[in-house]
Amino acid sequence: MTTSTIDNGIDVHALTETIEAVKQDPSMGSFTFRARSRWQDGTYNTGEIHTFDQGGSEDRSRAAAFTLHGDEPPVLLGANRGPNAVELLLQALAFCYAVGYVANAAARGIEITRMEYEIEGDFDVRPFLGLDGPRPGFTVIRARGRVSSPNATREQLEELCRYVQDTSPVRDSLANAVPVETTLEVV
């Protein structure tokens, strides 16, 4: 009989089994995630995230697609019907850091009672508007975390923060050049 230890909401036994499965078959660590966007009106788009591939097989464990809404604030010609794309990028980093932190804390036996991230980034829209200016993306992103633990030292929590930064897929994708291949089908 196998028992699961739940720590920080993470099933540590299942985490250990996942790590062992990927060690035994590295292809199980290969994922292809996807997102879709459909323009609605003005700067408003709806997005959908549903299936993904793992190890070459499609995972259909999600009963329904997640629906997202994206728009711009009025100052950028939108109607605030959702966050804009760069805000969603910042949120993705916050989610990734938090998931990485609590899961790795659980694996180390560290109890987390509070975990928050605030992410902000500086951005200049001039290039997006066709004007001269700095690069069209963020020029700097700042992340500030807050964590509380009844059984870990400050040093352990700080080391874990460094580890999470080093292993975060979203941070890695932001900090290192990732090829982006774009095609367009005219219909």
Side-chain angles (χ1 to χ4, degrees), residues 119-143:
I119 314 286
E120 63 181 20
D122 296 339
F123 186 88
D124 190 321
V125 299
R126 287 179 292 168
F128 181 75
L129 298 173
L131 304 171
D132 289 336
R135 59 180 284 212
F138 284 111
T139 54
V140 66
I141 294 174
R142 291 174 296 279

Side-chain angles (χ1 to χ4, degrees), residues 64-142:
F66 299 112
T67 301
L68 303 160
H69 300 271
D71 199 0
E72 297 289 339
V75 69
L76 293 174
L77 309 176
N80 277 332
R81 290 175 277 191
N84 68 25
V86 295
E87 291 169 317
L88 290 169
L89 183 69
L90 296 175
Q91 186 62 63
L93 181 60
F95 283 161
C96 193
Y97 273 3
V99 166
Y101 203 97
V102 298
N104 282 286
R108 296 175 184 202
I110 297 173
E111 181 184 350
I112 301 298
T113 55
R114 178 182 178 189
M115 172 86 274
E116 298 174 3
Y117 275 99
E118 292 179 17
I119 314 286
E120 63 181 20
D122 296 339
F123 186 88
D124 190 321
V125 299
R126 287 179 292 168
F128 181 75
L129 298 173
L131 304 171
D132 289 336
R135 59 180 284 212
F138 284 111
T139 54
V140 66
I141 294 174
R142 291 174 296 279

